[in-house]
Amino acid sequence: LSLPEIGVVFGGKDHTTVLHAFKKVEGEIRINQNLKNIIEQLTTNIKQNTILIDNTVISNNIMDSFL
């Protein structure tokens, strides 16, 4: 997705807001190993199409609901 498309998914945010958030998280994961681990696990789960929320597995294509 492009930055403007990501902005739409997150409630119509401007592409510059998306870029700022990306850079902020990118900087945080450099210094916070726990955050890096969480993001890596979320990324893996999304790629496997499985999400765990409050110990409940949600296994459907979540991204389809955003597109």
Side-chain angles (χ1 to χ4, degrees):
L1 295 175
S2 68
L3 294 178
E5 290 170 328
I6 294 169
V8 169
V9 171
F10 284 94
K13 303 295 184 196
D14 186 75
H15 74 282
T16 57
T17 303
V18 175
L19 183 59
H20 173 76
F22 174 81
K23 289 180 179 181
K24 182 170 179 71
V25 171
E26 186 178 52
E28 284 294 317
I29 63 173
R30 286 191 185 126
I31 60 174
N32 185 334
Q33 185 63 43
N34 187 47
L35 178 62
K36 182 178 179 181
N37 293 341
I38 291 168
I39 290 173
E40 287 174 351
Q41 186 62 54
L42 285 170
T43 301
T44 299
N45 290 349
I46 289 168
K47 287 178 180 179
Q48 293 174 348
N49 200 22
T50 303
I51 305 294
L52 183 65
I53 300 175
D54 293 330
N55 296 320
T56 302
V57 174
I58 300 170
S59 187
N60 61 12
N61 197 339
I62 290 174
M63 291 309 291
D64 283 347
S65 65
F66 292 115
L67 302 176

